[in-house]
């Protein structure tokens, strides 16, 4: 029997941009949506969603998981292939602190149409 890697989808948005941030994380078919997590831009929202996804994985004691998001820049920064600057560097530091000494989580870019967290946020707004 093969153990299946758990997929955790993340997405965030700001309304207006910049504005009030909302985030969604989908794990095991269940959407976890937070509506007013502060103020900022869409980049901040994506980072906060990624961090929330990692927190959810940790809270559930998951070891074999992959974080999937449609923000290519955030995925690249979190994976270390693109330098994080300004506010993104602050979010990256928070992300790395949460990772700690453990193994670096897998993070992959997916298209917007495949991002279940983005779909959950869109349904919230009737789109």
């Amino acid at each position: 029997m093969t153990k299946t890697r758990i997929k955790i989808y993340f997405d965030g948005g700001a309304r207006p941009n910049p504005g009030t941030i909302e985030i969604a994380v989908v794990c095991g078919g269940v959407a976890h949506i937070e509506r007013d997590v502060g103020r900022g831009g869409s980049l901040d929202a994506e980072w906060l969603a990624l961090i929330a996804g990692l927190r959810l994985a940790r809270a559930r004691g998951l070891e074999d998981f992959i974080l999937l998001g449609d923000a290519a820049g955030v995925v690249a920064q979190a994976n270390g292939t693109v330098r994080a600057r300004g506010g993104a560097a602050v979010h990256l530091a928070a992300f790395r602190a949460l990772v700690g000494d453990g193994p670096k989580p897998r993070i992959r870019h997916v298209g917007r149409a495949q991002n279940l967290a983005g779909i959950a946020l869109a349904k919230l707004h009737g789109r």
Side-chain angles (χ1 to χ4, degrees):
M1 182 194 258
T2 305
K3 188 175 176 183
T4 303
R5 180 173 297 146
I6 304 297
K7 294 178 180 178
I8 301 174
Y9 297 86
F10 67 91
D11 197 19
R15 295 180 186 281
N17 188 15
T20 302
I21 293 174
E22 59 189 15
I23 62 172
V25 176
V26 174
C27 180
V30 178
H32 305 268
I33 297 173
E34 295 182 51
R35 291 195 79 164
D36 187 358
V37 292
R39 294 193 50 78
S42 59
L43 182 68
D44 298 305
E46 295 286 357
W47 266 109
L48 292 175
L50 172 59
I51 291 167
L54 180 56
R55 283 192 177 122
L56 180 65
R58 296 288 190 243
R60 291 190 172 184
L62 301 177
E63 293 182 17
D64 191 13
F65 64 92
I66 184 166
L67 296 158
L68 303 165
D70 60 28
V74 170
V75 170
Q77 290 168 354
N79 282 323
T81 58
V82 172
R83 185 172 177 197
R85 299 171 191 225
V90 173
H91 294 304
L92 177 59
F95 180 78
R96 286 183 176 161
L98 187 57
V99 170
D101 293 332
K104 183 179 163 196
R106 293 174 187 91
I107 308 163
R108 193 177 85 210
H109 178 260
V110 294
R112 184 173 299 260
Q114 288 77 42
N115 188 347
L116 299 181
I119 293 168
L121 281 179
K123 284 184 179 180
L124 188 68
H125 296 287
R127 292 185 278 156

